[in-house]
Amino acid sequence: DVKVTQSSRYLVKRTGEKVFLECVQDMDHENMFWYRQDPGLGLRLIYFSYDVKMKEKGDIPEGYSVSREKKERFSLILESASTNQTSMYLCASSLSLTMGAFFGQGTRLTVV
Amino acid sequence: DQQVKQNSPSLSVQEGRISILNCDYTNSMFDYFLWYKKYPAEGPTFLISISSIKDKNEDGRFTVFLNKSAKHLSLHIVPSQPGDSAVYFCAASATGANNLFFGTGTRLTVIP
């Protein structure tokens, strides 16, 4: 079974802090994604990566950056956390989108 | 602009009856459609998919119907069970794209 693991289930950070969210997948998938989920807005794509060191902006990249130094790991970085970044963050990976994307368990981030 | 829309935020159904969840899309380039199920505090899990060359795909209690001319798809769950209570997301992708576009989700409650 594909496993996508996010480093934390719950995080509380202060405004202005730099925040790292880590995601690791064990199926050698090329594609990895970071989404955020907010009530009434569904899942919105922040960034995705289709190969090591390759990244593309999604729908809401402002305030975020990403890093993919190894195929299995995709990190989301909040350069200076703000309260409007309080959300559920979901990492996903896929070999091919027609085969579906596999999601991690999510990280509930609260910025105070 | 939301390219995948789920206009019903919630749906309640009696156990044993049929649940029908609807999804509309605007982008005619979409050729693959997926449904995901999400429990609270967990990541979405892939449920069922359909290619645009088909108009129906069935997997056990779950059937997805696609009407390309109307740009509409639906998920039927028969019979509905209390364990089906979750948020259901519709997603779409286009050949060659590296992104899944998600709807805003429909919360299904199956009443025992």
Side-chain angles (χ1 to χ4, degrees):
Chain A
D1 277 354
V2 175
K3 190 155 179 146
V4 180
T5 305
Q6 294 182 230
S7 52
S8 304
R9 290 295 297 266
Y10 301 95
L11 273 179
V12 180
K13 296 292 181 181
R14 294 194 179 276
T15 301
E17 276 193 79
K18 190 168 186 175
V19 181
F20 293 86
L21 302 183
E22 306 285 346
C23 176
V24 177
Q25 52 98 359
D26 65 358
M27 281 301 290
D28 205 34
H29 287 170
E30 281 82 13
N31 304 304
M32 295 189 75
F33 309 83
W34 276 106
Y35 290 89
R36 63 178 279 179
Q37 183 198 357
D38 300 290
L41 296 176
L43 276 69
R44 294 180 293 166
L45 182 68
I46 304 170
Y47 268 97
F48 68 94
S49 169
Y50 52 91
D51 203 349
V52 174
K53 296 191 186 294
M54 306 303 287
K55 60 187 178 185
E56 294 270 351
K57 292 180 180 179
D59 299 321
I60 50 164
E62 296 79 18
Y64 303 94
S65 62
V66 290
S67 172
R68 192 157 180 211
E69 297 295 320
K70 293 185 178 181
K71 193 173 188 179
E72 67 270 20
R73 187 178 297 269
F74 192 34
S75 303
L76 179 70
I77 304 153
L78 286 65
E79 298 291 342
S80 177
S82 63
T83 54
N84 63 12
Q85 292 178 310
T86 292
S87 187
M88 168 71 89
Y89 289 88
L90 294 160
C91 174
S93 75
S94 74
L95 181 63
S96 157
L97 288 178
T98 56
M99 296 170 65
F102 296 87
F103 283 84
Q105 77 278 27
T107 297
R108 171 72 65 185
L109 172 67
T110 302
V111 182
V112 298
Chain B
D1 190 25
Q2 195 81 21
Q3 298 188 57
V4 178
K5 299 176 185 178
Q6 294 176 258
N7 293 319
S8 298
S10 63
L11 175 69
S12 290
V13 172
Q14 288 284 343
E15 180 178 4
R17 299 284 182 98
I18 184 171
S19 295
I20 300 176
L21 295 94
N22 294 304
C23 178
D24 297 293
Y25 62 96
T26 57
N27 189 337
S28 58
M29 297 300 292
F30 288 151
D31 56 5
Y32 209 81
F33 304 90
L34 308 94
W35 284 94
Y36 284 82
K37 175 179 179 179
K38 186 181 184 299
Y39 293 117
E42 293 184 15
T45 54
F46 170 73
L47 194 57
I48 192 169
S49 62
I50 188 167
S51 162
S52 60
I53 62 173
K54 294 185 171 184
D55 54 17
K56 177 182 174 182
N57 188 27
E58 193 171 350
D59 183 2
R61 296 186 297 114
F62 302 91
T63 303
V64 57
F65 295 91
L66 176 62
N67 182 334
K68 288 187 290 294
S69 61
K71 294 190 176 70
H72 177 83
L73 64 156
S74 60
L75 174 68
H76 294 209
I77 306 173
V78 183
S80 301
Q81 299 173 354
D84 295 330
S85 296
V87 177
Y88 289 79
F89 290 98
C90 170
S93 70
T95 299
N98 287 321
N99 186 13
L100 277 174
F101 293 87
F102 283 85
T104 52
T106 296
R107 180 177 301 279
L108 173 66
T109 303
V110 180
I111 303 162

